[in-house]
Amino acid sequence: MKCQVIRVAEFGGPEKLVEMEYDVPSPSAGNVLVKVEATGVNPVETYIRKGNYAKLPELPYTPGTEGAGTVAEIGEGVKGLKVGDRVFLTDTLSGHGTYGQYCLSPSSEVHRLPDNSSFEIGASIGIAYRTAWRALFLKSKMKKGELVLVHGASGGVGMASLQLGKDFGARMVGTAGSPEGMEFIKSLGAEKAFNHTNREYITELNEFAPNGFGLILTMRAHSNLGKDTVLVANGGKIVIVGAQGSSTINPRRLMSKEASIQGLMTWNFTEAETKQFVDFISEKLKAER
Ligand SMILES: NC(=O)c1ccc[n+]([C@@H]2O[C@H](COP(=O)([O-])OP(=O)(O)OC[C@H]3O[C@@H](n4cnc5c(N)ncnc54)[C@H](OP(=O)(O)O)[C@@H]3O)[C@@H](O)[C@H]2O)c1
């Protein structure tokens, strides 16, 4: 059987994404063939497409790390899933991603989608919400009532962080690069929004939180890590979610505040952590109306 996919035969710009007809693959042992209904689009797909990422697939490949759909076929030994199940994916098998009508995933990355959740919602969970959860709950011990800054809150991971932090009971503050972005993050529950294109915004953040932020999630550490060391509270933590290059900081700021910097990478999720996250997010989705 044939299907339509987007394939990349050589690394480069968006013009390297080529739509073509392709044989629907068969799942080998432990893997699942999913009929894709919705696909998540994330910055990482562009880094990979350009050949500018630490882990690269063999060429040619079909992009797409996250998505949602229905189980079309299961490989030998797969337990707990059956053909027709509505599912969301936290990863795909290298080369056979969700930028196509069918994709392959290891069964450990295929999870039942609650009946009340759309495929579009399911397709947004694998990267943005999983990364936000790892940053807020696994790599930091966010406290209720704590002042949390999401430095770059209007994008995928930022909006997920605001929602999960607010739902948990933290005081969420975010930055965006436009008035529309600021309105958007306020609509998601940010107590206050700041504009990171405004030259004075670090001063404004300092005035808003004179004792600093207990936790900072930073999406552009290459340009903001130094500013984050100014904004972090005594004993606080900065979690680096995104960085596209190096950055110079004054380590004395961290010394005097006994503050710390924590890196994060979603490919470090263990199966047990993924299960913990899936249980958490499934409960939240089931409670949605
Ligand atoms: N470590 C991991 O495992 C992991 C996982 C997921 C994502 N990431 C990385 O994390 C970053 C964010 O991902 P995403 O999916 O949220 O990307 P996205 O949807 O493209 O959002 C990018 C965010 O960065 C903001 N931004 C732009 N210029 C900024 C500046 N000067 N200072 C602060 N923020 C600025 C944008 O705000 P405006 O557009 O409003 O200006 C937007 O909120 C990306 O680099 C991504 O590759 C890493």
Side-chain angles (χ1 to χ4, degrees):
M1 190 170 78
K2 301 274 185 193
C3 66
Q4 289 298 116
V5 297
I6 290 173
R7 294 289 277 178
V8 174
E10 54 184 300
F11 297 121
E15 72 283 355
K16 302 294 181 192
L17 297 165
V18 177
E19 188 180 347
M20 59 189 287
E21 206 172 62
Y22 191 69
D23 286 329
V24 174
S26 250
S28 53
N31 295 320
V32 179
L33 178 73
V34 175
K35 183 172 186 298
V36 178
E37 299 291 346
T39 300
V41 179
N42 291 279
V44 69
E45 308 297 348
T46 65
Y47 313 148
I48 296 170
R49 191 200 65 232
K50 288 178 196 154
N52 184 18
Y53 197 61
K55 286 188 180 182
L56 291 175
E58 263 179 47
L59 294 169
Y61 75 100
T62 299
T65 310
E66 64 177 359
T70 52
V71 172
E73 194 181 334
I74 53 176
E76 203 186 312
V78 172
K79 302 241 175 342
L81 289 167
K82 59 179 188 325
V83 171
D85 280 349
R86 298 171 82 249
V87 292
F88 67 96
L89 312 174
T90 43
D91 207 351
T92 50
L93 214 57
S94 185
H96 298 281
T98 52
Y99 284 24
Q101 290 175 316
Y102 288 86
C103 75
L104 288 175
S105 272
S107 59
S108 57
E109 308 288 355
V110 183
H111 319 284
R112 296 286 297 274
L113 182 65
D115 291 342
N116 60 328
S117 297
S118 66
F119 290 119
E120 288 77 9
I121 284 180
S124 71
I125 294 169
I127 294 192
Y129 285 84
R130 200 160 61 116
T131 303
W133 179 84
R134 189 170 184 85
L136 295 171
F137 297 106
L138 216 56
K139 292 294 151 192
S140 349
K141 300 288 170 248
M142 180 178 47
K143 301 177 198 72
K144 289 190 195 298
E146 185 167 46
L147 207 46
V148 178
L149 172 64
V150 183
H151 206 160
S154 47
V157 181
M159 61 179 279
S161 306
L162 285 181
Q163 288 174 309
L164 297 185
K166 169 87 178 169
D167 178 69
F168 175 75
R171 291 176 60 198
M172 304 304 290
V173 172
T175 78
S178 65
E180 297 75 23
M182 290 166 71
E183 279 312 309
F184 174 60
I185 64 181
K186 279 196 270 183
S187 76
L188 296 173
E191 182 174 320
K192 183 102 174 138
F194 295 84
N195 190 328
H196 49 236
T197 65
N198 175 349
R199 280 162 57 125
E200 302 302 321
Y201 87 104
I202 298 298
T203 309
E204 291 169 9
L205 278 161
N206 260 323
E207 284 168 3
F208 175 79
N211 295 324
F213 293 88
L215 176 60
I216 300 178
L217 269 49
T218 194
M219 305 299 153
R220 282 178 64 96
H222 54 290
S223 50
N224 291 334
L225 194 56
K227 299 171 194 165
D228 295 324
T229 64
V230 173
L231 296 168
V232 71
N234 283 349
K237 183 180 263 192
I238 301 163
V239 181
I240 300 177
V241 177
Q244 286 151 41
S246 58
S247 161
T248 305
I249 61 162
N250 178 352
R252 295 187 66 85
R253 289 215 180 95
L254 297 172
M255 273 169 65
S256 56
K257 294 179 180 179
E258 296 195 338
S260 58
I261 299 179
Q262 165 81 57
L264 174 152
M265 190 52 94
T266 47
W267 70 44
N268 291 318
F269 262 91
T270 63
E271 242 180 85
E273 288 167 351
T274 293
K275 183 180 178 325
Q276 206 184 333
F277 165 70
V278 168
D279 289 348
F280 166 89
I281 205 75
S282 299
E283 283 311 306
K284 298 287 172 203
L285 290 172
K286 283 177 195 162
E288 285 270 305
R289 287 207 262 143

